Amino acid sequence: MLDIKLIRENPEAAQKGIALKGSNIDIGEIIGIDTSRRANLTRADEIKKERNDLSREIGRRLKANQDAAGLMERVRVIGEEIKSLDSRISAAETALHERLLMLPNLPHESVPHGRDESDNVVIAERGTKPAFDFEPKPHWEIAERLGIIDFTRGTKLTGSNFMVYAGAGARLQRALINFMLDMHTSQHGFREIYPPFLVNRETLTGTGQLPKFEDDAYRIESDDLFLIPTAEVPVTNLHRGEIIPGQELPIYYAAFTPCFRREAGSYGKENRGITRIHQFDKVEMVKIVRPEDSYAELETLRSAAEDVLRALELHYRVVEICAGDLGFSNAKQYDLEVWAPGMGRYLEVSSCSNTEDFQARRAGIRFRRTPASKPEFAHTLNGSGLALPRTMIAVLETCQQADGTVRIPGALRTIFGRDIL
RNA sequence: GGUGGGAUGGCCGAGCGGUUUAAGGCAGCGGUCUUGAAAACCGCCAGGGCGCAAGUCCCUCGCAGGUUCGAAUCCUGCUCCCACCGCCA
């Protein structure tokens, strides 16, 4: 959520910023609502003071057995005006809040301008692109031959774009999860979290999925709960409504969870195999930091995610996301895209973002620099470390051999227990 | 799911329709004293809003309504917590 004061003081910049993000919400209307809200508020405050004063005087007179009928009548009249002003104020507050919740975060000044993903900027390519002396196969063919992914039965159990890992496939997935979590907790200083996979509306609003993106989430109607689309949601909200003592920052959390996304209207051959499925696993990193540190923290967050790809010896590139393609809550975002040689394309396996105080404001995540300081909004960041299915794709396709078997990357061999799949 | 009890500032806790304009204590912060510390004493110490600012200003006693001239206090609904019962991996 953007700060209404910031919008008030610099409406042109706010309008320009949200336009860069591709939103055309009218800032002028928001300012209009805010202006009349404050006018009513000032008036209401004045007459509330009068009511408070008079009520006190009534009490005094009644105690002294003096007449207070005139004062009571006056207070009654004031009470009616207060009631009407209060209802106008609360209507304005509701309208204002609704609109503010729909406004995207502003892009950081360093973010390249651009409309959509075609304007994103590749800023680095890392690792060696694997060479093959045979035609590399896509992962669905490799997996089918090895019997490690069962698409047909996934569809039978649930529906299209659900799948089943079986045997060594399930084991490889588990090895990857452990490998990633172990790396982040033991080498990068993250504290492991195991959150609920179902969350309520407030939680989803705190990180920015609601109200705008309700249709993207699976909802449990009987209890009005939602399946999490990413661990970022429950983990960032861990400190919702809290004031964190400054010495506890920065906070680093890492969590493994399944993620559930309806992905309405995104089927097609681009998404064959397990590139886009409704339920997938992910290890996620979340940071809560001091505002002045958040951009440096974004770099180390990205580097922590890159460490996983490096350790798995996969070729990938780093993409800086342009303003128009930035996520709703993000001020700056890097994506890591891993090379899938069988598919012949790069796949997004991680998205590392600084939301600055956008989520902190929605969720009320504050901190105190010293025990005597006023609370300030913290900055929150999140990054995948990494998304499992696409990591699995990259491993299968990169490490495939001419005979159809798959060589397990060195870093995984101990945890997986075998060299060859 | 059922029955009962509860929800006041970081924590404990008073309050039971009008000098509560939320007492008091603990913790915390600053200071006096001290070689240093402890003790003692003094001061500060919830969050938010409005405002350039000052502010004997406004709001918030779980949340939302209501009664009243006036609500932390009375009424209604809801949420959450605790205990017991039921069910259950």
Side-chain angles (χ1 to χ4, degrees):
Chain A
M1 191 156 64
L2 300 182
D3 184 1
I4 182 66
K5 282 182 193 155
L6 190 121
I7 295 174
R8 205 145 72 199
E9 281 158 22
N10 214 335
E12 302 82 15
Q15 189 76 68
K16 199 175 141 207
I18 65 162
L20 285 172
K21 288 276 282 252
S23 166
N24 59 0
I25 294 174
D26 180 16
I27 293 292
E29 190 208 4
I30 290 176
I31 290 177
I33 295 169
D34 179 53
T35 304
S36 76
R37 177 192 132 254
R38 282 184 298 142
N40 285 329
L41 193 60
T42 305
R43 170 70 185 150
D45 280 2
E46 279 168 11
I47 62 178
K48 278 177 182 175
K49 168 166 173 47
E50 194 179 346
R51 178 178 68 180
N52 290 343
D53 290 345
L54 291 174
S55 291
R56 217 166 289 136
E57 178 61 20
I58 290 170
R60 229 171 270 136
R61 291 204 188 175
L62 289 181
K63 215 156 228 169
N65 277 320
Q66 293 173 329
D67 174 60
L71 292 181
M72 284 184 184
E73 174 58 13
R74 173 73 188 136
V75 171
R76 196 189 58 73
V77 172
I78 292 174
E80 279 168 15
E81 194 187 348
I82 288 174
K83 206 167 192 175
S84 113
L85 281 170
D86 274 351
S87 77
R88 266 185 285 169
I89 291 164
S90 89
E93 276 169 355
T94 304
L96 192 61
H97 195 64
E98 272 172 10
R99 281 161 181 76
L100 287 176
L101 285 178
M102 296 300 278
L103 282 183
N105 199 1
L106 270 16
H108 185 255
E109 57 183 10
S110 67
V111 169
H113 289 197
R115 211 172 227 261
D116 53 39
E117 61 178 328
S118 64
D119 296 317
N120 292 340
V121 182
V122 175
I123 59 173
E125 298 206 17
R126 299 275 157 75
T128 322
K129 204 166 185 171
F132 295 89
D133 51 14
F134 59 95
E135 186 64 28
K137 295 185 174 63
H139 65 279
W140 55 87
E141 288 180 20
I142 300 168
E144 183 173 12
R145 194 178 170 285
L146 295 171
I148 58 175
I149 297 178
D150 190 336
F151 293 100
T152 311
R153 291 199 177 94
T155 305
K156 173 171 79 179
L157 294 178
T158 310
S160 65
N161 288 299
F162 284 89
M163 44 73 69
V164 176
Y165 282 122
R171 185 179 176 90
L172 179 56
Q173 150 104 348
R174 182 157 56 84
L176 282 166
I177 293 165
N178 283 336
F179 174 69
M180 293 178 191
L181 272 178
D182 287 348
M183 176 186 277
H184 295 316
T185 54
S186 64
Q187 292 174 38
H188 299 137
F190 288 79
R191 180 168 195 227
E192 187 169 344
I193 298 291
Y194 180 85
F197 304 158
L198 282 171
V199 294
N200 59 30
R201 278 181 185 277
E202 294 70 50
T203 298
L204 233 18
T205 305
T207 31
Q209 283 74 20
L210 289 186
K212 195 169 176 194
F213 304 104
E214 179 160 353
D215 290 345
D216 295 345
Y218 286 104
R219 176 167 167 240
I220 310 294
E221 195 175 357
S222 55
D223 296 283
D224 201 31
L225 296 174
F226 297 82
L227 286 158
I228 56 170
T230 158
E232 168 200 342
V233 172
V235 175
T236 304
N237 275 279
L238 244 22
H239 295 283
R240 171 152 56 83
E242 295 182 7
I243 300 173
I244 303 165
Q247 75 268 14
E248 288 177 24
L249 298 183
I251 292 172
Y252 290 2
Y253 290 135
F256 154 73
T257 71
C259 304
F260 304 90
R261 300 186 182 177
R262 293 185 65 223
E263 307 286 9
S266 61
Y267 302 99
K269 68 173 178 353
E270 281 288 286
N271 300 318
R272 202 152 162 211
I274 57 173
T275 48
R276 189 181 298 276
I277 46 185
H278 292 307
Q279 175 187 324
F280 65 96
D281 287 329
K282 180 157 62 64
V283 169
E284 181 78 3
M285 300 174 283
V286 168
K287 291 183 172 186
I288 302 175
V289 308
R290 292 167 187 258
E292 63 272 25
D293 299 333
S294 69
Y295 280 94
E297 293 281 4
L298 177 60
E299 297 304 316
T300 56
L301 180 68
R302 186 186 97 192
S303 143
E306 288 188 52
D307 278 351
V308 179
L309 292 166
R310 253 195 295 275
L312 295 174
E313 299 166 66
L314 298 170
H315 169 67
Y316 67 95
R317 62 187 191 185
V318 182
V319 179
E320 174 153 20
I321 304 303
C322 73
D325 197 34
L326 231 38
F328 178 76
S329 298
N330 304 338
K332 189 178 176 76
Q333 175 183 346
Y334 295 110
D335 282 0
L336 302 181
E337 297 184 344
V338 72
W339 176 245
M343 296 176 78
R345 41 183 290 229
Y346 287 95
L347 298 172
E348 182 190 328
V349 275
S350 177
S351 187
C352 299
S353 311
N354 185 1
T355 78
E356 298 188 357
D357 65 2
F358 186 83
Q359 293 181 326
R361 229 171 246 292
R362 290 179 160 245
I365 303 169
R366 293 177 292 171
F367 75 103
R368 239 188 263 278
R369 286 181 189 273
T370 74
S373 309
K374 282 280 162 202
E376 294 171 52
F377 287 109
H379 279 196
T380 65
L381 301 93
N382 60 82
S384 342
L386 309 162
L388 269 302
R390 292 175 185 175
T391 305
M392 179 80 94
I393 291 172
V395 169
L396 293 177
E397 294 189 3
T398 300
C399 303
Q400 63 180 302
Q401 305 182 104
D403 64 358
T405 60
V406 173
R407 169 177 57 76
I408 298 299
L412 288 179
R413 282 182 196 160
T414 310
I415 204 165
F416 182 69
R418 272 162 59 186
D419 295 359
I420 295 285
L421 192 69

